[in-house]
Amino acid sequence: MKRNKILVIGAGGQLGSELTQGLWNVYGKENVIATDVKEPQGILTEGNFEILDVLKQKNLFDFIQKNNITQIYHLAAVLSATGEKNPKFAWHLNMDGLIHVLDAAVEFKIDKVYWPSSIAVFGPNTPKVNTPQDTVMDPATIYGISKLAGERWCEWYHNKHGVDVRSLRYPGLIGYKTKPGGGTTDYAVDIYFKAIAEKKYDCFLKPDTFLPMMYMDDAVKATLDLMEAPAEKIKVRSSYNISSMSFSPEEIANNITKHIPDFKISYTPDFRQAIADSWPKSIDDTAARKDWGWQPQFDLQRMTKEILANLHSTTE
Ligand code: AKB
């Protein structure tokens, strides 16, 4: 069997810590090195961890060479809401970080690279319902602009240099193990924590704002399935649409009320409403299903039950 040595960049984030655990299960803890610019927290302290800043190209290259890395999962990014507050830094990290990784893939003949894109690549003129794989893309946030540009870079490195880079356009990711930071879909995580702690939540989006969302277990499964698929099955080298559920703040609140009857939601929309309004309400992921067999497992009911049960048991 081929030797694998996996580098995860930005492992301390919401997706990173759970994806790192998924990679431990597939490749063994000893073959995965999680990295971030911050010291590790929680579960990440149980495996290999090193401080690494993707913006320092020489350090990145030295690290890859020293550790004989064969696969890179590059997750470090500034998300949509934070990106609007510091657009130049968001562009710098999201673009230069990716280009450093893609250059390293060429230089060190890395077997496979994973890089996440987002539904933020779509914009106000994109069809909002069942948004197709190929359609109008006019992102209105710096995060979305950087993800769209990143998709083009990935396809270019694949075509010009043969880099086996693969990508998914994640919807809002919802988990209870690590909190997200700086996204527009973060409300759908915060609401569960506040429901358990305070039985109330003040939402920064309007009640009828539908957005595509996905439970973390499905996001990890999608990522590992995509990366395990034979290269010839990967027909999209920009980034694949993937979808599992779509709901509004009012719907998630109604779902929580089934488990916590006195839970109350209020609404104070802020600047994130305009970002949410520019994004799709639901996504067509036919290409991912057809090319490499994507199949989600969680809907809103199952996810709510699982998250509340786990949060209850940790607060008891
Ligand atoms: C965000 O809200 O910025 C992210 C995303 C949809 O990519 N969760």
Side-chain angles (χ1 to χ4, degrees), residues 1-4 26-27 31 228:
M1 206 179 117
K2 197 189 167 308
R3 185 189 63 86
N4 286 294
V26 179
Y27 297 102
N31 293 317
E228 285 296 298

Side-chain angles (χ1 to χ4, degrees), residues 17-33:
S17 61
E18 300 211 31
L19 186 57
T20 300
Q21 289 172 70
L23 290 165
W24 288 348
N25 296 336
V26 179
Y27 297 102
K29 247 186 199 175
E30 65 286 3
N31 293 317
V32 180
I33 311 180

Side-chain angles (χ1 to χ4, degrees), residues 14 78-83 116-121 141 143-144 147 169-174 180-187 204 211-213 272 275 279:
Q14 186 204 15
V78 175
L79 297 187
S80 57
T82 311
S117 186
S118 160
I119 55 161
V121 292
T141 59
Y143 171 67
K147 287 294 180 186
R169 290 174 182 152
Y170 291 127
L173 300 184
I174 308 173
T184 302
T185 56
D186 294 7
Y187 90 85
F204 57 75
L211 285 171
M213 301 279 186
R272 289 168 282 194
I275 300 178
W279 287 352

Side-chain angles (χ1 to χ4, degrees), residues 86-101:
N86 196 346
K88 300 279 166 50
F89 179 69
W91 181 256
H92 177 44
L93 175 61
N94 295 2
M95 286 304 37
D96 294 338
L98 173 62
I99 291 171
H100 289 171
V101 167

Side-chain angles (χ1 to χ4, degrees), residues 94-141:
N94 295 2
M95 286 304 37
D96 294 338
L98 173 62
I99 291 171
H100 289 171
V101 167
L102 292 169
D103 278 339
V106 177
E107 175 85 16
F108 300 104
K109 301 189 173 44
I110 297 295
D111 291 344
K112 284 184 247 183
V113 175
Y114 179 75
W115 172 79
S117 186
S118 160
I119 55 161
V121 292
F122 300 116
N125 291 301
T126 303
K128 291 222 178 299
V129 177
N130 280 331
T131 301
Q133 174 69 41
D134 297 308
T135 185
V136 176
M137 297 169 97
D138 56 347
T141 59

Side-chain angles (χ1 to χ4, degrees), residues 40 81 91 124 129 143 153 197 200 207 216 237 253 260 263 267 292:
W91 181 256
V129 177
Y143 171 67
W153 277 110
K200 60 179 186 189
M216 191 57 84
R237 290 297 181 161
I260 306 175
F263 172 69
Y267 301 95
W292 46 275

